[in-house]
């Protein structure tokens, strides 16, 4: 049987939208399920996959939401049973073999019929999945204006322009880093904490001419790296809230406890309680959860009197449409250990030293990656959500792909700004050269689509081209600036020449 538990759910959405089942869906009790409306696909928001569906089950008609999972057990594994946003679900569909339990249970205790669609698909399961994959890809491939004409442009010309755009994007990141460093430094001088920054940046700040000596304080750099790494750990779904969290609990708060023997536990307690993700009213279902909650409760009770910043809510975070390894719980666990590395292992100092002393790029790349990688341990190695043990142990809180993203988008710009600020020109150039020749393991749908459209195969694996493709689409293709794009201009000029001959 063709069934992969790692199959992205989005391919199952295509099967649901197509609605070509070989017989009417039925519950295990043989009640007929009639789909009056399949609902609206939820592409942007946290919550069920389809909203406002209209479904008749037996003699009753329901108006509500539909959740689609690959496996029956994903309902609990993804935390839907504890999320109020799933209380309107009226039908739960999944691909895997039928579970003996005919329903799932919502947060408010309501039973929802759960149906395996495998037994209702018209064609061979493998063919149906492949068809859904093709349909999904066709729907998401970006529409670049030169889609049909850029084939006439030489690959070298395309790569040359992408290289230049990759440099532009790197300079933009460096400028953003420097601006934030100035803000942090200025606020530290005023003894001001976030989030009052928007009120404090006055004419004095904007007119000030900062000098290198203004940035010799190590904690300002710690705060900068801390914020940027947390933002990167949040991915697209939770990057904003992760950044807000890092600004709310500044690095100085953690530094007060840096010598404590349970520093990581203390850090986790602060992050989880301030984030609002920990449900203080939950009843532990196993010994590991009971022990973990006891420990972080004790830690938080000791620490909370010293915290006077913003508190967040569980609803501020997005879990839906994320792989469990990308859940905010896992990212915060990784974040706690990253804070430990920043404060107690001085990874910034190690990075600066590595750039100065390691000349072989492969060795330097591996060393940087090892400083960012975080192996999983403790409670969250065995759990994706609180109170429910995962089927498989997690190997990394921050793996190779995410480490590479952090190196390219955070470490390179920050270290480049540092070397440039303190007039270490040779080391600055070394950072830029490594960035230009860095190959990463991360994949990105937008980048893959641009590479496919430009017919450049694996060029995106080189970071400078990867970044250039993002810059190309966001600032040229999506804004119809073909006349300002070397690839677009050449493509249409050559097409015109061909058509006139």
């Amino acid at each position: 049987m063709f069934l992969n538990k790692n199959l992205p759910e989005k391919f199952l959405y295509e099967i649901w939208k197509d609605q070509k089942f070989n017989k009417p869906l039925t519950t295990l009790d043989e009640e007929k399920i009639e789909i009056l409306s399949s609902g609206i696909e939820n592409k942007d928001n946290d919550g069920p996959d389809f909203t406002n569906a209209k479904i008749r089950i037996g003699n009753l008609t329901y108006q509500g939401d539909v959740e689609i999972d690959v496996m029956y057990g994903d309902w609990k594994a993804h935390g839907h049973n504890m999320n109020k946003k799933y209380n309107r679900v009226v039908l739960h569909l999944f691909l895997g073999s039928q579970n003996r339990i005919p329903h799932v249970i919502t947060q408010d205790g309501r039973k929802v019929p759960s149906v395996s669609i495998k037994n209702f698909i018209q064609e061979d399961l493998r063919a149906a999945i492949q068809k859904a994959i093709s349909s999904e890809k066709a729907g998401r491939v970006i529409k670049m204006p030169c889609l049909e004409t850029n084939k006439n442009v030489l690959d070298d010309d395309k790569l040359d322009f992408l290289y230049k755009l990759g440099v532009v994007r790197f300079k933009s990141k460096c400028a953003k880093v420097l601006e934030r460093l100035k803000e942090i430094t200025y606020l530290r001088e005023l003894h001001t904490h976030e989030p009052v920054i928007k009120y404090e940046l006055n004419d004095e700040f904007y007119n000030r001419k900062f000098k290198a000596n203004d940035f010799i304080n190590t904690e300002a750099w710690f705060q900068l790296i801390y914020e940027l790494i947390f933002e990167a750990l949040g991915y697209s779904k939770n990057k904003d809230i992760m950044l807000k969290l890092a600004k709310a609990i500044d690095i100085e708060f953690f530094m007060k406890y840096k010598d404590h023997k349970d520093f990581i536990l203390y850090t986790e307690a602060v992050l989880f309680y301030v984030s609002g993700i920990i449900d203080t009213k939950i009843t532990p279902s196993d010994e590991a959860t009971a022990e973990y909650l006891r420990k972080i409760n004790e830690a938080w009770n000791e620490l909370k009197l010293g915290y006077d910043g913003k508190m967040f809510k569980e609803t501020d975070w997005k879990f839906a449409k994320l792989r469990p390894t990308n859940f905010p719980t896992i990212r915060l666990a990784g974040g706690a250990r990253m804070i430990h590395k920043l404060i107690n292992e001085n990874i910034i100092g190690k990075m600066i030293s590595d750039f100065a002393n390691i000349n072989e790029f492969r060795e330097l790349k591996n060393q940087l990656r090892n400083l960012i990688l975080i192996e999983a341990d403790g409670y969250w190695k065995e759990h994706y959500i609180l109170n429910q043990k995962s089927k498989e142990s997690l190997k990394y809180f921050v793996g190779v792909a995410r480490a590479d993203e952090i190196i390219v988008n955070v470490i390179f710009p920050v270290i480049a700004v540092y070397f440039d600020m303190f007039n270490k020109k040779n080391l600055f150039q070394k950072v830029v050269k490594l960035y230009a020749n860095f190959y990463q393991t991360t994949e990105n749908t937008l980048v893959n689509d641009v590479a496919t459209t430009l017919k450049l195969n694996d060029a995106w694996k080189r970071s400078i081209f990867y970044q250039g493709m993002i810059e190309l689409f966001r600032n040229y293709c999506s804004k119809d600036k073909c006349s300002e794009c070397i690839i677009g201009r050449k493509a249409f000029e050559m097409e015109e020449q061909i058509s006139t001959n």
Side-chain angles (χ1 to χ4, degrees), residues 223-237:
Q223 179 67 28
L224 176 68
I225 289 273
Y226 162 47
E227 289 180 12
L228 295 175
I229 288 180
F230 262 54
E231 183 179 26
L233 289 176
Y235 286 71
S236 60
K237 295 283 188 180

Side-chain angles (χ1 to χ4, degrees), residues 21 74 97 117 191 205 235 273 283 288 306 317 326 333 348 350 386 413 427 433 468 481:
F21 299 113
D74 289 345
S97 300
I117 61 174
H191 303 290
F205 170 79
Y235 286 71
Y273 276 98
T283 301
W317 300 85
N326 294 335
I348 299 178
K350 289 180 180 178
L386 195 65
L427 292 177
K433 188 173 181 180
K481 291 185 177 180

Side-chain angles (χ1 to χ4, degrees), residues 344-362:
N344 291 316
E345 297 181 12
N346 189 22
I347 61 170
I348 299 178
K350 289 180 180 178
M351 289 174 185
I352 292 171
S353 176
D354 288 341
F355 271 103
N357 299 313
I358 300 175
N359 293 317
E360 206 279 311
F361 276 4
R362 183 186 294 273

Side-chain angles (χ1 to χ4, degrees), residues 160-179:
D160 183 61
F161 187 54
L162 289 173
Y163 188 99
K164 292 176 181 177
L165 292 181
V167 172
V168 168
R169 188 165 174 80
F170 183 72
K171 288 181 177 178
S172 175
K173 290 180 184 294
C174 289
K176 177 184 175 183
V177 163
L178 180 57
E179 191 63 23

Side-chain angles (χ1 to χ4, degrees), residues 9 57 63 131 198 430:
E9 290 177 3
I57 302 176
Q63 183 125 10
K131 182 178 178 182
K198 59 185 177 183
K430 192 173 183 179

Side-chain angles (χ1 to χ4, degrees), residues 24-25 31-37 54-58:
L25 299 178
E31 282 195 296
K32 182 179 178 182
I33 300 174
E34 184 178 356
I35 311 302
L36 304 177
S37 171
K54 194 172 183 180
I55 297 170
R56 181 177 293 133
I57 302 176

Side-chain angles (χ1 to χ4, degrees), residues 138-205:
R140 69 171 162 83
V141 171
I142 60 174
K143 308 301 181 186
M144 293 170 63
C146 64
L147 176 65
E148 302 297 333
T149 57
N150 74 71
K151 63 180 181 292
N152 299 318
V153 181
L154 295 175
D155 285 354
D156 285 347
D157 290 337
K158 296 175 185 176
L159 293 173
D160 183 61
F161 187 54
L162 289 173
Y163 188 99
K164 292 176 181 177
L165 292 181
V167 172
V168 168
R169 188 165 174 80
F170 183 72
K171 288 181 177 178
S172 175
K173 290 180 184 294
C174 289
K176 177 184 175 183
V177 163
L178 180 57
E179 191 63 23
R180 180 57 186 156
L181 182 62
K182 290 178 180 179
E183 293 174 357
I184 293 171
T185 300
Y186 183 69
L187 292 177
R188 286 179 57 81
E189 292 173 355
L190 296 175
H191 303 290
T192 304
H193 296 281
E194 299 284 7
V196 294
I197 178 173
K198 59 185 177 183
Y199 305 116
E200 296 294 339
L201 294 183
N202 50 28
D203 289 343
E204 179 186 347
F205 170 79

Side-chain angles (χ1 to χ4, degrees), residues 1-35:
M1 182 182 71
F2 181 69
L3 178 58
N4 185 344
K5 63 181 179 181
N6 294 318
L7 180 77
E9 290 177 3
K10 59 187 176 183
F11 300 139
L12 300 183
Y13 303 162
E14 301 301 317
I15 293 176
W16 173 250
K17 287 187 287 187
D18 202 28
Q19 286 290 312
K20 290 185 178 178
F21 299 113
N22 59 6
K23 55 185 177 180
L25 299 178
T26 57
T27 68
L28 280 187
D29 300 327
E30 299 301 324
E31 282 195 296
K32 182 179 178 182
I33 300 174
E34 184 178 356
I35 311 302

